[in-house]
Amino acid sequence: MASLGQMSDYEIRLIRIFKTVVECGGFTAAETTLGISRSAISQHMNDLEGRLGFSLCQRGRGGFSLTEEGKEIYQAGLTLLTALETFKSDVNALHHTIKGELNIGITDNLVTLPAMHVTNALAELSAPEHEVTLHIHMEPSDAVIRGVMDGHLHVGVVPSVNLPTSLEARHLYDEPSYLYCAAGHPLFTEDDDTLRCADIAQHSAISPRYPLPIEARQAHDALSLRASASDREGAAFLILTGRFIGFLPEHVAAQWVAAGKMRALHANSQHYRIPFVLITRHDRRPNRVVDAFLRLIKSS
């Protein structure tokens, strides 16, 4: 007797034909449903019986009827085909439902960026059809980099400055920064047309204690650095005292500019751009949540 221990698509097709024949009540009635001739159905049935090693049905002048073995094979076939359909449905559901966690590290003061690639991707990932738990860690860029490298974080968003070669970086956007002063500062009411860079350089400025590209460092070095800040929020605090000038990302300063509490100085010359990137480990393991997030970032 031939074994069906390892079933191919052909054996499954034979069982599907057998199921249809039984439910139609015979070979002739099954012709239309199956779209094949009676002789072809008969050949398929003979093939299945040969593979199983026993007769499945009686056919002839007495009409169509199942043998005892045929009845059991029919029931077993129903179980098999139902299991296959369940498996197929489960696999299809996996393609539409994403399950798991995403640990993402983001450097400070990015939520007000007009380019909301990360926000839009997180919105898609947390849609009702998915089962994703999001964990956001707001940390300095060096902490985000360490977290991605040691596996504590799946992905990170940081400035593209001094990145280790073990990390893969995907460009997100460029963040423009300008030199600002606050209301009450001597330069606040000065006209840009008469204000010289040499005049600006005489006023107390803020030195950043966070990673910056060379272009940004050079812009700071041209100023009289007499205070420092560990992050952009700290720089904003000092600028708002009216005693210091300092660089801030345009989107961070926007709320105070709109309120008339802050203004940019010599915007045409006193500015730089910082590229921000999404980082992952080069040797990271496959992860459906992370892969989906990266696809969403790319499409955004």
Side-chain angles (χ1 to χ4, degrees), residues 175-181 200 204-208 210 212 215-225 229 231-239 244-250 252-253 262-274:
E175 178 191 68
S177 291
Y178 296 91
L179 184 62
Y180 291 93
C181 70
I200 293 174
S204 298
I206 303 160
S207 174
Y210 43 89
L212 289 173
E215 177 192 1
R217 284 289 172 195
Q218 290 172 341
H220 284 88
D221 291 342
L223 303 176
S224 298
L225 304 175
D231 53 35
R232 284 98 68 88
E233 186 173 358
F237 267 109
L238 289 172
I239 294 169
F244 301 93
I245 60 175
F247 283 94
L248 283 178
E250 183 180 29
V252 173
M262 198 178 284
R263 62 159 287 200
L265 299 169
H266 257 247
N268 290 334
S269 62
Q270 298 293 332
H271 67 271
Y272 56 80
R273 304 179 77 86
I274 300 178

Side-chain angles (χ1 to χ4, degrees), residues 5-6 66 76 91 93 117 137 142 209 215 229 238 269-271:
Q6 294 182 333
L66 291 176
V91 171
H117 304 319
H137 305 260
D142 56 348
R209 302 199 310 274
E215 177 192 1
L238 289 172
S269 62
Q270 298 293 332
H271 67 271

Side-chain angles (χ1 to χ4, degrees), residues 97-105 121-137 152-155 287-290 292-293:
T97 302
I98 304 170
K99 300 179 181 180
E101 294 186 348
L102 178 69
N103 290 297
I104 177 172
L122 293 176
E124 291 286 343
L125 205 57
S126 57
E129 64 266 24
H130 301 314
E131 298 176 25
V132 176
T133 303
L134 302 175
H135 302 287
I136 292 185
H137 305 260
H152 171 65
L153 299 174
H154 294 117
V155 296
N287 182 310
R288 286 197 69 222
V289 176
V290 177
F293 178 70

